Amino acid sequence: MTHILDRPIWSALETAHADLAEGGKSARRYPPSIVPFAASADDAPESLDALENLPSPEESMILVESGPIAIPSGLAVATEASVVQMIAERPHERISDPRIQPLTEADAADMLDLATLTKPGPFTLRAQSLGSFWGIKSEGRLVAMAGQRMRQTGFIELSGLCTHPDFQGRGLGTLLFRFVAGEIASSGDTAYLHAYAANTSAISLYKTHGFALRAEMNMRVVKRRSYRTAGGSTSNFQNFSGLK
């Protein structure tokens, strides 16, 4: 690893999110009730063995790295895709808007409903364990949100960005994108994000908002070989950050 973001899951679980890590010195994962991300420390045989032992038979894990992802023999690849990692070229200005409000545990079910509808990436009721989220509501209904996911020393991932289909095209996603990027910058950290390499429209939009390509990444969804895998589709992981 030449940069802390080359193996973002491992570096997060080794630094800012170490208190959430399951596993040991060779392989770690987030609790699957929070997010299904996992990583080995490196590609050494003992690290891959430790990675193989992390999931139960029915669980899947998502691996994201800048180089080729080594898979232990006991795990099978269910889905794989090319991903880009983008990073803020400059600190974003902190902004305010009366429509934006912090989301709390009381909003967890509504957040999950919105994420299930719009598919910004893996999302659970415990997503707020990773970082702060903010949203916009209309007549009490959550219609747009964005927040923070992985954290490393000096870096915070912007993620969970989504807008209800009935409210798209009104600039809410862009507003929340700018807001969360500004909140990350105000903490002294650098914002970054992930998106599928094929999602060229989103990548172009991120560039207009001050994000530049840092690295091409690989993603693999894996399960134990003893558990029947489903092949092909990445529909449940359409967009790591979800800007529409």
Side-chain angles (χ1 to χ4, degrees):
M1 185 174 71
T2 59
H3 190 284
I4 196 171
L5 296 182
D6 286 347
R7 298 172 76 103
I9 299 169
W10 176 260
S11 59
L13 291 171
E14 191 180 34
T15 60
H17 279 165
D19 59 325
L20 296 175
E22 296 182 351
K25 64 179 182 179
S26 298
R28 297 178 181 179
R29 71 172 182 178
Y30 285 94
S33 61
I34 296 177
V35 70
F37 288 169
S40 59
D42 49 40
D43 294 342
E46 58 270 23
S47 297
L48 297 180
D49 287 345
L51 180 68
E52 179 179 326
N53 291 326
L54 287 178
S56 63
E58 70 277 6
E59 290 174 340
S60 61
M61 301 190 304
I62 300 175
L63 317 176
V64 180
E65 298 177 13
S66 62
I69 301 177
I71 303 297
S73 59
L75 296 180
V77 177
T79 292
E80 57 186 342
S82 297
V83 176
V84 297
Q85 185 182 87
M86 304 183 72
I87 193 167
E89 295 184 285
R90 53 170 175 75
H92 283 67
E93 178 184 359
R94 196 175 193 184
I95 65 173
S96 62
D97 189 291
R99 293 172 293 177
I100 299 175
Q101 56 186 279
L103 299 178
T104 70
E105 290 185 8
D107 299 300
D110 291 338
M111 294 167 65
L112 181 59
D113 286 345
L114 182 59
T116 300
L117 176 66
T118 59
K119 296 179 172 55
F123 205 89
T124 69
L125 284 171
R126 296 185 61 197
Q128 293 176 81
S129 301
L130 300 175
S132 299
F133 276 78
W134 295 267
I136 296 174
K137 297 181 180 180
S138 175
E139 299 180 349
R141 178 175 60 148
L142 181 66
V143 297
M145 68 175 180
Q148 303 167 353
R149 190 165 61 184
M150 288 188 285
R151 294 169 176 258
Q152 297 80 10
T153 303
F155 297 91
I156 298 178
E157 183 189 20
L158 192 161
S159 188
L161 183 58
C162 54
T163 302
H164 191 284
D166 292 346
F167 289 82
Q168 290 176 11
R170 305 184 188 186
L172 301 184
T174 298
L175 175 62
L176 282 166
F177 183 91
R178 292 176 54 223
F179 178 87
V180 176
E183 292 300 300
I184 292 172
S186 72
S187 70
D189 295 298
T190 299
Y192 74 101
L193 57 83
H194 293 101
Y196 278 98
N199 195 349
T200 55
S201 59
I203 292 169
S204 296
L205 191 54
Y206 298 145
K207 288 180 178 178
T208 66
H209 291 291
F211 279 70
L213 177 67
R214 193 203 75 82
E216 295 180 356
M217 310 288 284
N218 296 302
M219 183 210 58
R220 285 185 164 185
V221 180
V222 297
K223 291 182 178 180
R224 285 196 174 183
R225 287 195 177 276
S226 58
Y227 186 80
R228 184 172 62 86
T229 61
S233 175
T234 60
S235 61
N236 290 331
F237 309 102
Q238 286 184 348
N239 190 325
F240 276 89
S241 50
L243 182 62
K244 300 298 184 183

